[in-house]
Amino acid sequence: MSYISNTQISKMSYNQLGKALTSGQLTEKRLRSAYTELRKTAMQRNRRVSAENVRQQFGNESETFLTSRNIVTTSQLLHELADVGKFLNAKRSTITGLKQQRQNVIDSAEHLGFDVDAENYVDFVKFMKWFKASEYSKQYDSNSVEVSEVFNSERANPASWKRAFELFAKGQQ
């Protein structure tokens, strides 16, 4: 049986963790130990990323992870371990990754005709979250032909979407 590092564990899915546990590659004690260390790293990173000035620039939301002693079942441990691993491996868990994500969103928005920059980025993200939660968004996939037709139609052209964002942003202030 070869040793599985915390880094390797952090990249495993819930199913992979369960398989490693049932096959004997990992023990529950080893998983708890890895979880404690990975959670510590995640919480440190989360504090840096959630600092007030970073929150204002990127509109990120804090992540929370249970302490090991609050995890009762093995299944819960596997879920929490998979979640902390996803967080640590996500670009949004680092300031550099958030900067890159913000620039990608700004570039895409500008390509679609929106006037988005670092100053109104958070409002734009809120607008997109609001739109994604809307009834219209729930009915159609964002890549569907219908959405493209509506976005580019005469009644709902890029200029009207831009106006909708501007009105939304004004309401946020």
Side-chain angles (χ1 to χ4, degrees):
M1 174 168 49
S2 64
Y3 180 78
I4 300 175
S5 71
N6 285 353
T7 302
Q8 291 169 310
I9 290 172
S10 76
K11 293 180 176 160
M12 296 172 87
S13 69
Y14 172 83
N15 290 335
Q16 290 170 323
L17 291 165
K19 194 174 189 179
L21 181 63
T22 57
S23 72
Q25 286 181 299
L26 291 169
T27 63
E28 186 170 344
K29 182 179 178 181
R30 173 71 181 101
L31 289 174
R32 282 192 181 275
S33 171
Y35 177 75
T36 300
E37 288 302 313
L38 293 170
R39 180 187 180 277
K40 180 180 175 184
T41 302
M43 296 308 289
Q44 288 170 343
R45 193 179 291 181
N46 196 35
R47 276 190 290 280
R48 284 192 299 273
V49 169
S50 295
E52 191 60 33
N53 62 337
V54 175
R55 184 181 308 263
Q56 288 171 356
Q57 288 178 8
F58 301 105
N60 72 306
E61 297 172 11
S62 292
E63 293 283 341
T64 57
F65 302 102
L66 295 174
T67 60
S68 183
R69 70 175 165 262
N70 289 332
I71 298 174
V72 181
T73 66
T74 303
S75 176
Q76 190 179 24
L77 173 63
L78 296 177
H79 279 290
E80 288 294 319
L81 197 46
D83 288 347
V84 81
K86 282 181 201 172
F87 173 77
L88 290 171
N89 290 300
K91 290 183 178 185
R92 66 180 168 76
S93 72
T94 66
I95 293 172
T96 301
L98 285 170
K99 285 179 181 178
Q100 181 181 10
Q101 179 184 9
R102 177 179 65 186
Q103 193 56 52
N104 291 344
V105 169
I106 290 170
D107 292 345
S108 295
E110 286 178 352
H111 178 73
L112 294 171
F114 289 93
D115 185 22
V116 179
D117 56 22
E119 203 162 300
N120 65 355
Y121 169 78
V122 172
D123 287 338
F124 184 74
V125 170
K126 288 178 185 175
F127 171 70
M128 293 308 296
K129 285 180 182 178
W130 166 80
F131 179 76
K132 284 181 181 180
S134 73
E135 286 303 313
Y136 179 78
S137 179
K138 290 177 186 174
Q139 292 177 4
Y140 300 100
D141 182 280
S142 62
N143 295 324
S144 70
V145 174
E146 295 89 351
V147 171
S148 178
E149 287 174 1
V150 168
F151 189 86
N152 293 309
S153 74
E154 289 181 28
R155 285 185 344 164
N157 57 33
S160 63
W161 286 100
K162 182 179 176 182
R163 180 73 182 134
F165 167 56
E166 290 167 354
L167 290 170
F168 179 85
K170 281 183 183 177
Q172 293 295 307
Q173 296 170 357

